[in-house]
Structures are given as C-alpha cells and as structure tokens.
Amino acid sequence: MRKKIVAGNWKMNKTLHEGIELAKTINRQVEENEVIVVLCPPFIHLSGVAGIITKDSLFAGGQNCASEASGAYTGEVSAEMIRSAGADYVIIGHSERRTYFNESDEIVNKKVKLALANELTPIFCCGEVLAERQAGKHIQIVKSQVEKGLFDLSPEDFGRIVIAYEPVWAIGTGVTATAEQAQEMHKMIRDHIAEKYGNTVASNTSILYGGSCKPSNARELFLNSDVDGGLIGGASLSASDFMGIVNAILDK
Ligand code: PEP
C-alpha cells in the first residue's frame, strides 16, 4: 500500500521563531494515523523544527539539496548535512528551483541520487508551464522530466521516491488544476512508472498534487484514485489551513 503524504513547503517564509512556533502547533495537532506529514522549512530552521517533533507520523524535510556531495560550494547545503540536521525528506526539482536557479533535469537527477545515498526520501517535483499545456505538450513534458530525473534508478531506489506533480501555472496563483486534470496526469505518471518498473513499484509510489491546494479544494483533489496527497506551499504557512488539508486526506 502506498503512503498518503501531505508535505508543507514553507519556501523563504517565517523567521526562526515563527517557524518553530508553527512547527510546535502542527506537532500538537497532528494525529498518529496513516497520513505522513512533512514540514519543509528553510534550511536554517531545519534542525530546530526536527528537534521539536514528537509524533511518529510527522517528519522534517529540506526544500532542496546541493548537486555535489561536499566541498568548496559557498552557500550550498548538502544532502548529508540535511540528513544530519534530522530531516527524512527533501524536495528536489521544485519548479522555482528549475526556473530561478536553472536546475536542469541532469542536475535534478544528481540531487536525487545524493538524497538517496544519504537516506533521505526525495519528493521529486515535475510539472508543465501554461504554454506547454496550452500547446497540448503537458503529458510529453512531464513524462520527459520523470524519465530524465528518475528512470536511471534501480527498481529498489525508485521504490524510495515520492513524486509531486505540480503544474507550474497552479503554483502560488490561486488557480488549481481540476480534479480531472490532476487525475489524468497522475495516472499517466503511474502508468509510465509501471511500463519501466512494473505494476508493483508503480502502485506503491506515492504521487502528490501541488498547486494552490487549500482546505476548500483538497478533498476533491485527494479523492482521485491516483492522487496520494499534496505538496502544499502558501497554505502550509498557517497551521489551521495546513491541518485542514492534512485532515482532508483522511476522507480518502
Ligand atoms: C509549491 O510551491 O510546491 C506549491 C504547491 O505552492 P502553492 O501551494 O502556494 O501553490
């Protein structure tokens, strides 16, 4: 059975004090059930957030990791450091990293491997921009991102991946993919994984939706058979909104 996961990507928001307070509130409210909840604060908050977690179903994650293992890369943070700060997850290939920091599929692939080598679960992001969807190329774009980012992994390593489908036109815009659009893409991703790694690996892979997910639309998105949870940006900055989304997946 694949895991239900709701991960919060705080992006570059919250002071250290605010972040710790938010994490404490969520830690108090998270119930011990089958839903995995992941908090991805800025790096500088990571060990503080990881340190206050007392619930078995709550985890900390990074928002990115370096594409090199260690060395003279001023300002970078390695997968090993993220792991040593108490994280279990790391977001890789978020569209903001791909767009603003020029992360290519090849760089994303290197990061995935470093994350796996350091016992972190990669939350691998993929998704098309609006022009690609309007041109009818969205399926082809996402397929290619998944292939180039992940398909040279062994079946065993692939089994440790979480995928987040995040249509770029829905991230931070208030425009959400419809339940049908999300389900169509998630099914395509799962079918593509099945072609490469077989049905068991595909059906065990958690595929999250991301893009303007809110308590008011989360349930409808999560009820789709191939949507296994969410990667949440803006709404993860409020404990009540985030917990509303976490609780929405319990109806699945
Ligand atoms: C994200 O950045 O991963 C995201 C889904 O953002 P938002 O929920 O704000 O659209």
Side-chain angles (χ1 to χ4, degrees), residues 143-155:
K143 252 188 178 176
S144 160
Q145 289 171 339
V146 170
E147 281 168 16
K148 291 180 180 153
L150 300 174
F151 273 14
D152 65 345
L153 298 179
S154 66

Side-chain angles (χ1 to χ4, degrees), residues 7-11 91 94-96 125 164-168 170-175 209-214 230-236 245:
N9 173 12
W10 296 1
K11 310 195 187 189
I91 298 169
H94 190 280
S95 68
E96 287 152 18
C125 300
Y165 167 58
E166 300 205 298
V168 180
I171 296 181
T173 59
V175 178
Y209 168 80
S212 297
C213 190
K214 304 181 266 283
L231 178 55
I232 317 301
S236 71
I245 296 171

